Amino acid sequence: MEKHKKYIKRCLQLAKNGLGTTRPNPMVGSVIVYNNKIIGEGYTSPYGGNHAEVNAINSVTDKALLSKANLYVSLEPCNHFGKTPPCSDLIVSRQIPKVVIGCIDPFDKVAGKGIEKLQKNGCEVTVGVLEAACIEMNRRFFTYHTKKRPYIVLKWAETNDRFIDTIRTEKDIVKPTWISNRYARQLVHKWRSEEQGILIGTNTALHDNPKLDVRHWSGNSPVRIVLDRTGKIPKQYHLFDKPIQTIVFTEKKQKSTSKNILFKNLDFSGKVPQQLCDALYELEIQSVFIEGGAQTIQSFIDADLWDEARIFIGDVSFNKGVKAPTIEGVEMYRQSIQKDVLKIIRKKH
């Protein structure tokens, strides 16, 4: 079993290379071992490309060795046609005799069917090696398929005296109130590139006029999601820039003038966080990064619809202002970023 763990750990290392590019597919890593030596390895290509097992098999120079090798993979091989053929079919056709799998795929079209096909075709299958770590790797994918909602990451910066913003008036200049330092802000752009959607409320849009892109990092900008109940946000604001898709949830009927601007109706008198989760699930948004403001973030906390919170504590005090959200959970991580502090909290299960 220790040997199996060693190679599944390598699968997990490889899988990380797909963060932010594979969705709606999961991040998967695979290695092929012959005579206690890795002879091939791969990870999931950007969506539409090869899966990890295919890339690993293709990387093997001497294909004759496959019929005597073991294949390790962090997630169950697929058994259905999507953008690519089933990986289980390729494994069978290459007569790979043994497959070691980290965890079962929760997706309805797979969910044990890949394992069943391998076993029916004479392949020896071992399942559940470093299972918790493999599920953690694809926590966004698992949450989406098991809870029928996006994986939700909350993020905010607060002062030493626990304020998230100053008190704004209509006369104030439209710009962000910076609490965290520039290194923390760059890290936020990295995080944005890792999630499929990014959500803010009306006040944050009006006060900050944010771009919600990844201009300080390399990667894809997330789909912008904004609450605009009565259509207050001016159409010349950055949120309506055409290159990045924006979804606007509103009570006001509006017709889009661009394929990248989508208006969706929402009943703001009802349970807004749950309605948003339901709508985003239908839109196949697997993860959402919620950046503000305080009221929007607190509404998801109060509805118990969140998975982790990333909180910067800046080296500054406001004395008065907009109070930061209140949250309870398990602190998983704490780090100093110059004079700022980052802490990451997970919800208790």
Side-chain angles (χ1 to χ4, degrees), residues 6 28 94 134 206 283:
K6 169 186 172 181
V28 182
R94 288 294 184 176
C134 292
L206 291 173
L283 290 166

Side-chain angles (χ1 to χ4, degrees), residues 108-129:
D108 291 341
K109 291 184 177 179
V110 186
K113 299 180 183 71
I115 293 168
E116 184 180 351
K117 174 174 277 190
L118 294 174
Q119 291 174 329
K120 281 184 176 179
N121 284 275
C123 184
E124 181 185 339
V125 180
T126 301
V127 183
V129 179

Side-chain angles (χ1 to χ4, degrees), residues 305-324:
L305 290 170
W306 66 283
D307 296 286
E308 62 180 272
R310 302 172 186 178
I311 306 164
F312 292 104
I313 304 169
D315 185 34
V316 62
S317 297
F318 284 174
N319 299 317
K320 61 179 181 180
V322 179
K323 273 290 186 183

Side-chain angles (χ1 to χ4, degrees), residues 51 53-54 77-82 84-91 117:
H51 291 187
E53 303 93 311
V54 177
C78 66
N79 188 47
H80 67 288
F81 283 88
T84 59
C87 293
S88 54
D89 284 356
L90 179 62
I91 294 168
K117 174 174 277 190

Side-chain angles (χ1 to χ4, degrees), residues 105-111 139-152 273-288 305 307:
D105 191 325
F107 183 34
D108 291 341
K109 291 184 177 179
V110 186
R139 57 191 184 276
R140 298 162 181 84
F141 182 79
F142 271 78
T143 296
Y144 179 81
H145 286 288
T146 61
K147 297 185 178 180
K148 309 302 180 186
R149 66 164 175 82
Y151 185 86
I152 295 173
Q274 185 62 61
Q275 289 183 72
L276 282 167
C277 284
D278 292 343
L280 294 172
Y281 175 78
E282 292 298 324
L283 290 166
E284 299 184 349
I285 304 291
Q286 285 193 5
S287 66
V288 177
L305 290 170
D307 296 286

